[in-house]
């Protein structure tokens, strides 16, 4: 099934043309890795999917992004962002307790029942492989957790509102290799239930976890194919150069 | 020959001197007022009405009047100021119009207080026909401290990290939910700082209440917000300049009470702020 369909997407921030004529599809229940050097438009692309770019006053776009054949601009923004969760580059817990961090989104969508909130928090912390580490200290500040734990907390928080898609924006850039492995494990497991778009600076990470890989360069989508193919027989010389580490 | 270490010592010495120059007058004011005012303080002074043409008795009506006025000013200015600050920092677009508004608010903080007094007289006392009353005085003081409250509240709101807002929005919370549950709770300490500043100013100003509420001599307590009232700063002015042969003790005692009142009100706000700061978790 097609999750996202993107038609001739162009994005500008003021005079800067950040995304140029991008056409692509994202399939359900797969991990799409998005790679490319800095300033290639990866994160901008990601933030278009949940319309987070619109917080920037200079943002303009043309073309269309469709979520399950519905233009994202036609969907109520709160509902869209509930369906499309996001995990940011740095672990960004809210200044609340561990429990309240996970429960925050659920509460904002109207859930008040204590039992149901507790159930949801436990369920999603387990999905994010964090439950065992935090089950006895749920009322502590989320800032007392380590960086890797915080990032898994952010994943649990995203899962709690019941998304269909999860966007990862370089989720491991601030993490050590062991924490990274844990986050990657979580991602591969999550693929069964969710569609994942993973922006990463780490080419090897894309090779490890993604089913398909898209290569962005200077705001253009250079190539999008099965990960195996991108990493063994890329069609474009620039893709080849980037994954071999010739630039980037 | 230039010795960089000596230059540093000289710079430190000047900086220290400047700090000392600020601290000494403040310290002196407090010492003099406590020294000369404390002997006047007794239960009668605090709880009795002024007697013998304000040359004896207490200052209870003035204390009550000031408490009423400050409370009224805060009740009026804090909600309006906070809502305006939320609008300006969270909702308004950055354009010429909003920049003009922000500039005007900052400049309003510098308008002399006597101008506010005249404004209050024209608007509340005469136009709205509230007369010289606690209501008129509170509203005038409230308008005077609005710019302070708006400016500090805006800064407090804007100092909440932007990433918290993005996270909240990305979870599907609405903009208002984000402000209500994430931005506002973390801005409260800063907002209280603005309130403290406004409170101190409202308690101490004489000019805005001169035309709008202050009674020269009123030996009973106000019964409603439409009554006139005595107030400590104006009372101090009256017994210092308008009434001959007032004992120095009484004048300094009044100043001491005014100072103590402002400090106590500030202390309450500082304690609340401290409680909220302790909850701050980043």
């Amino acid at each position: 099934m097609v999750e996202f369909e993107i038609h001739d997407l162009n994005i500008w921030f003021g005079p800067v043309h950040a995304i140029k004529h991008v056409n692509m599809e994202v399939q359900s229940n797969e991990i799409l890795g998005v790679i490319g050097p800095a300033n290639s438009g990866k994160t901008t692309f990601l933030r278009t999917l949940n319309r987070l770019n619109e917080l920037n006053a200079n943002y303009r776009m043309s073309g269309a992004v469709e979520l399950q054949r519905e233009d994202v601009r036609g969907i109520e923004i709160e509902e869209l962002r509930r369906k499309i969760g996001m995990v940011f580059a740095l672990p960004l817990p809210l200044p609340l307790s561990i429990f309240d961090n996970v429960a925050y989104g659920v509460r904002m969508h109207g859930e008040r029942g204590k039992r149901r909130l507790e159930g949801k928090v436990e369920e999603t912390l387990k999905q994010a492989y964090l439950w065992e580490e935090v089950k006895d200290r749920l009322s502590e500040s989320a800032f007392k957790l380590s960086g890797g734990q915080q990032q898994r907390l952010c994943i649990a928080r995203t899962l709690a509102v019941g998304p269909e898609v999860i966007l990862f924006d370089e989720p491991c850039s601030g993490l050590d290799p062991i924490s990274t492995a844990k986050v990657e494990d979580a991602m591969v497991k999550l693929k069964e239930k969710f569609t994942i778009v993973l922006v990463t600076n780490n080419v090897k990470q894309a090779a490890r976890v993604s089913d398909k890989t898209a290569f962005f360069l200077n705001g253009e989508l250079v190539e999008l194919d099965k990960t195996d193919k991108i990493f063994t027989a890329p069609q474009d010389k620039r893709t080849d150069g980037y994954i071999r580490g010739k630039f980037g | 020959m230039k010795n960089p270490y000596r230059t540093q010592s000289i710079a430190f010495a000047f900086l220290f001197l400047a700090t000392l120059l600020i601290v000494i007058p403040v310290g002196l004011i407090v010492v003099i007022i406590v020294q000369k005012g404390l002997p006047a303080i007794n239960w009668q002074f605090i709880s009795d009405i002024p007697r013998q043409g304000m040359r004896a008795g207490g200052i209870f009506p003035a204390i009550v009047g000031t408490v009423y006025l400050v409370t009224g000013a805060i009740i009026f200015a804090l909600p309006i100021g906070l809502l305006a600050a939320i609008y300006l920092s969270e909702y308004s677009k950055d354009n010429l119009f909003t920049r003009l508004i922000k500039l005007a608010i900052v400049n309003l903080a510098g308008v002399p207080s006597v101008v506010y007094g005249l404004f209050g007289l024209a608007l509340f006392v005469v136009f709205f026909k509230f007369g010289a009353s606690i209501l008129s005085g509170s509203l005038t003081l409230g308008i005077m401290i609005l710019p302070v409250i708006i400016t500090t509240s805006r800064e407090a709101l804007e100092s909440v990290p932007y990433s918290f807002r993005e996270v909240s929005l990305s979870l599907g919370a609405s903009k208002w939910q984000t402000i209500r549950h994430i931005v506002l709770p973390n801005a409260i300490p800063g907002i209280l700082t603005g309130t403290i500043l406004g409170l101190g100013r409202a308690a101490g100003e004489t000019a805005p209440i001169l035309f709008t509420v202050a009674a020269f001599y009123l030996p009973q307590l106000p019964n409603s917000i439409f009554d006139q009232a005595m107030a400590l700063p104006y009372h101090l002015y009256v017994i210092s300049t308008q009434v001959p042969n007032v004992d120095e003790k009484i004048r300094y005692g009044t100043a001491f009470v005014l100072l103590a009142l402002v400090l106590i009100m500030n202390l309450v706000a500082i304690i609340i702020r401290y409680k909220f700061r302790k909850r701050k978790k980043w």
Side-chain angles (χ1 to χ4, degrees):
Chain A
M1 203 175 87
V2 179
E3 193 77 52
F4 284 109
E5 243 175 285
I6 290 138
H7 303 290
D8 195 30
L9 177 68
N10 283 284
I11 291 171
W12 295 267
F13 291 106
V16 180
H17 199 170
I19 295 278
K20 296 164 190 160
H21 304 289
V22 167
N23 287 285
M24 65 191 283
E25 282 183 359
V26 182
Q27 300 291 326
S28 306
N29 298 88
E30 66 169 20
I31 300 182
L32 171 72
V34 179
I35 57 170
N39 286 319
S40 56
K42 308 183 297 279
T43 297
T44 302
F45 165 72
L46 200 67
R47 291 162 70 98
T48 312
L49 302 179
N50 67 350
R51 292 174 59 192
L52 215 52
N53 281 329
E54 289 171 23
L55 298 180
N56 186 318
N58 297 318
Y59 166 80
R60 280 182 304 133
M61 73 166 276
S62 73
V65 177
E66 290 176 4
L67 173 70
Q68 292 167 356
R69 311 230 175 264
E70 202 178 342
D71 193 311
V72 291
R73 283 167 295 184
I75 305 172
E76 189 95 41
I77 198 148
E78 288 84 10
E79 182 60 15
L80 177 79
R81 289 178 181 153
R82 191 190 64 71
K83 282 186 183 168
I84 307 177
M86 187 165 197
V87 177
F88 293 84
L90 293 169
L92 287 172
L94 294 166
L96 304 167
S97 70
I98 295 170
F99 183 93
D100 289 339
N101 256 279
V102 182
Y104 178 77
V106 192
R107 284 190 174 127
M108 293 305 112
H109 289 287
E111 181 61 76
R112 284 280 172 272
K114 196 163 175 272
R115 278 279 169 72
R116 263 168 299 182
L117 281 173
E118 282 169 354
K120 199 81 198 164
V121 168
E122 178 171 348
E123 178 196 331
T124 53
L125 282 171
K126 279 178 176 162
Q127 277 182 297
Y129 298 107
L130 192 60
W131 176 250
E132 289 303 321
E133 292 161 60
V134 300
K135 64 181 176 189
D136 300 322
R137 46 193 284 215
L138 290 173
S139 56
E140 277 180 34
S141 164
F143 288 90
K144 288 195 174 154
L145 297 174
S146 74
Q149 289 173 326
Q150 288 185 3
Q151 196 60 307
R152 278 177 281 146
L153 178 72
C154 293
I155 294 175
R157 182 178 65 190
T158 306
L159 295 176
V161 292
E164 294 163 15
V165 183
I166 305 174
L167 312 176
F168 286 90
D169 184 5
E170 298 172 23
C172 303
S173 55
L175 302 184
D176 64 276
I178 291 169
S179 304
T180 302
K182 284 188 182 165
V183 172
E184 286 179 6
D185 283 350
M187 269 192 269
V188 174
K189 272 270 167 34
L190 293 172
K191 181 177 81 166
E192 293 161 14
K193 288 188 193 156
F194 309 97
T195 306
I196 291 177
V197 183
L198 164 70
V199 162
T200 178
N201 269 328
N202 183 342
V203 176
K204 287 187 186 127
Q205 183 172 54
R208 277 197 299 269
V209 301
S210 62
D211 300 300
K212 286 189 185 158
T213 299
F215 174 57
F216 275 78
L217 183 64
N218 297 329
E220 285 174 61
L221 174 64
V222 176
E223 200 169 345
L224 166 61
D225 214 327
K226 293 223 164 64
T227 299
D228 296 346
K229 223 171 155 206
I230 290 274
F231 283 91
T232 52
Q235 299 293 305
D236 196 292
K237 272 194 300 199
R238 291 170 291 177
T239 315
D240 192 46
Y242 181 70
I243 59 175
R244 281 165 192 276
K246 285 184 183 157
F247 67 94
Chain B
M1 208 183 76
K2 250 189 184 173
N3 182 341
Y5 301 113
R6 187 181 303 156
T7 329
Q8 166 161 306
S9 320
I10 293 170
F12 280 166
F14 271 108
L15 295 171
F16 178 71
L17 209 68
T19 314
L20 210 62
L21 277 176
I22 299 164
V23 173
I24 287 173
V26 174
L28 273 179
I29 291 171
V30 173
V31 167
I32 290 173
I33 288 179
V34 170
Q35 200 183 25
K36 293 194 176 176
L38 205 54
I41 307 299
N42 52 42
W43 183 242
Q44 193 209 5
F45 188 68
I46 296 174
S47 63
D48 199 6
I49 57 165
R51 295 177 193 281
Q52 297 170 25
M54 294 183 263
R55 287 180 193 88
I59 53 168
F60 188 56
I63 297 176
V64 170
T66 287
V67 170
Y68 281 172
L69 286 173
V70 171
T71 312
I74 292 289
I75 288 173
F76 168 69
L78 187 58
I80 294 181
L82 187 54
L83 293 177
I86 291 174
Y87 176 75
L88 287 172
S89 83
E90 305 293 324
Y91 284 101
S92 72
K93 293 205 173 68
D94 186 34
N95 55 34
L96 187 69
F97 182 62
T98 54
R99 258 179 271 167
L100 272 175
I101 291 180
K102 287 174 191 171
L103 189 72
I105 289 168
V106 172
N107 279 306
L108 271 178
V111 170
S113 55
V114 67
V115 177
Y116 283 107
L118 213 56
F119 172 77
L121 174 69
L123 188 70
F124 302 124
V125 179
V126 178
F127 185 77
F128 284 127
K129 299 193 170 65
F130 294 154
S133 63
I134 292 177
L135 183 63
S136 299
S138 293
L139 291 173
T140 309
L141 287 172
I143 285 183
M144 183 188 74
I145 61 173
L146 257 179
V148 183
I149 289 182
I150 293 176
T151 310
T152 47
S153 300
R154 240 186 69 212
E155 277 163 10
L157 292 166
E158 282 166 9
S159 70
V160 176
Y162 191 72
S163 54
F164 290 168
R165 290 162 227 240
E166 276 197 352
V167 166
S168 175
L169 293 171
S170 81
L171 288 166
S174 68
K175 191 162 184 172
W176 172 245
Q177 286 178 323
T178 301
I179 293 169
R180 166 71 188 74
H181 295 280
I182 298 296
V183 181
L184 217 46
N186 290 295
I188 283 179
I191 292 166
L192 283 174
T193 305
T195 312
I196 291 169
L197 289 171
L199 205 138
R201 207 172 155 207
E205 282 287 354
T206 314
I209 55 173
L210 193 57
F211 314 130
T212 54
V213 52
F216 188 84
Y217 174 65
L218 202 67
Q220 81 263 17
L221 296 183
N223 289 316
S224 80
I225 54 168
F226 295 103
D227 284 351
Q228 270 195 295
M230 294 179 79
L232 282 171
Y234 183 61
H235 183 65
L236 186 57
Y237 163 76
V238 167
I239 57 176
S240 303
T241 61
Q242 307 295 301
V243 182
N245 303 325
V246 176
D247 191 356
E248 192 188 65
K249 220 172 66 173
I250 291 183
R251 300 204 306 253
Y252 279 97
T254 307
F256 179 83
V257 170
L258 177 57
L259 207 66
L261 203 65
V262 172
L263 278 174
I264 289 168
M265 286 194 253
N266 281 358
L267 204 65
V268 172
I270 288 168
I271 289 168
I272 300 172
R273 186 172 66 175
Y274 176 73
K275 287 252 162 76
F276 274 99
R277 281 230 173 110
K278 259 198 357 204
R279 277 182 36 193
K280 196 165 163 173
K281 286 173 177 157
W282 82 86

